[in-house]
Amino acid sequence: GENVEQHPSTLSVQEGDSAVIKCTYSDSASNYFPWYKQELGKRPQLIIDIRSNVGEKKDQRIAVTLNKTAKHFSLHITETQPEDSAVYFCAASINNNDMRFGAGTRLTVKP
Amino acid sequence: DGGITQSPKYLFRKEGQNVTLSCEQNLNHDAMYWYRQDPGQGLRLIYYSQIVNDFQKGDIAEGYSVSREKKESFPLTVTSAQKNPTAFYLCASRLLAGAVETQYFGPGTRLLVL
């Protein structure tokens, strides 16, 4: 089955800097890759997703890149703000079923 | 956020007891999912259902059971066979359509063992 690895487990950046979180997956059939943001005690919220027919997607300060050949995808947050502090999860699935999640990255943005 | 509800917010289980976590959605979503979240391990899939009266096991189904008698409801029972049930349980749902649609999460239930 699918296995998703996520790095780093913790990330601390200064406000205004960029943050990059990387994930690798094992099943070449996976075609849907969402990223979720989870604040303490709250539910995960989708922030961006990418499908396997696209190499990059951007939404304001957030971007995701996908390298199908290498089976890895990354989340890029530019101009970070303190409210970006949260745990971020990547995931991989085939058609959004049987989703496999990474272990999460705790991002801290220092003012 | 709205449309998927989970209850209770906190649940306490005594040893040997079965407990049931509720998940309801009014989004007319076809598929529903149950995940377990432990610290440092991300989310793991317990069960999912794409249609009424049908469901599939995820990675960690042992010690859990589900039912899908109505489209809106997907309750999860944590049985006494689950020896380490303390965790945060999240329910999710999504629409099955031609395009791949997002899973939306409920607010979660935190289960604690007395």
Side-chain angles (χ1 to χ4, degrees):
Chain A
E2 177 65 274
N3 182 48
V4 177
E5 295 193 358
Q6 183 173 346
H7 300 281
S9 57
T10 60
L11 179 60
S12 181
V13 299
Q14 209 64 39
E15 183 177 359
D17 288 350
S18 294
V20 180
I21 303 170
K22 299 180 180 181
C23 288
T24 60
Y25 62 99
S26 60
D27 191 341
S28 57
S30 290
N31 60 3
Y32 179 66
F33 307 91
W35 285 90
Y36 287 88
K37 175 184 179 181
Q38 187 178 29
E39 296 176 0
L40 190 63
K42 302 259 182 93
R43 74 188 82 190
Q45 301 265 20
L46 181 79
I47 55 171
I48 196 166
D49 58 10
I50 192 167
R51 290 156 176 80
S52 59
N53 59 346
V54 175
E56 184 174 359
K57 184 177 179 181
K58 194 171 181 180
D59 182 5
Q60 299 182 338
R61 297 186 297 109
I62 295 173
V64 57
T65 57
L66 171 65
N67 183 327
K68 286 173 56 181
T69 303
K71 289 188 279 189
H72 66 69
F73 57 112
S74 300
L75 178 71
H76 304 253
I77 306 174
T78 59
E79 300 171 28
T80 53
Q81 301 165 3
E83 50 265 39
D84 293 330
S85 296
V87 178
Y88 291 81
F89 293 98
C90 63
S93 70
I94 301 172
N95 294 329
N96 205 359
N97 277 319
D98 208 5
M99 188 104 70
R100 294 295 194 276
F101 284 80
T105 296
R106 182 173 299 279
L107 174 65
T108 303
V109 180
K110 298 178 182 177
Chain B
D1 285 4
I4 306 178
T5 57
Q6 290 184 242
S7 62
K9 187 173 181 179
Y10 295 96
L11 184 58
F12 298 92
R13 194 191 90 163
K14 296 179 182 178
E15 200 166 327
Q17 185 182 38
N18 292 354
V19 292
T20 297
L21 285 61
S22 168
C23 178
E24 304 277 331
Q25 52 95 6
N26 61 3
L27 301 167
N28 199 33
H29 283 177
D30 308 286
M32 298 185 75
Y33 306 81
W34 273 107
Y35 294 92
R36 170 180 171 142
Q37 186 173 29
D38 296 279
Q41 292 193 44
L43 282 72
R44 291 182 290 168
L45 183 65
I46 305 173
Y47 270 99
Y48 68 100
S49 167
Q50 293 186 286
I51 194 170
V52 173
N53 292 324
D54 188 47
F55 46 82
Q56 284 76 43
K57 294 182 178 180
D59 286 337
I60 56 166
E62 187 173 349
Y64 300 96
S65 66
V66 293
S67 62
R68 187 88 186 275
E69 296 178 2
K70 299 185 300 181
K71 188 176 183 178
E72 303 80 19
S73 178
F74 191 40
L76 174 75
T77 296
V78 184
T79 74
S80 56
Q82 173 50 244
K83 297 306 178 188
N84 184 24
T86 297
F88 189 47
Y89 290 87
L90 286 157
C91 178
S93 70
R94 75 175 180 100
L95 193 65
L96 292 178
V100 179
E101 296 292 338
T102 302
Q103 290 190 23
Y104 292 92
F105 284 88
T109 293
R110 192 165 298 278
L111 177 61
L112 301 165
V113 176
L114 294 177

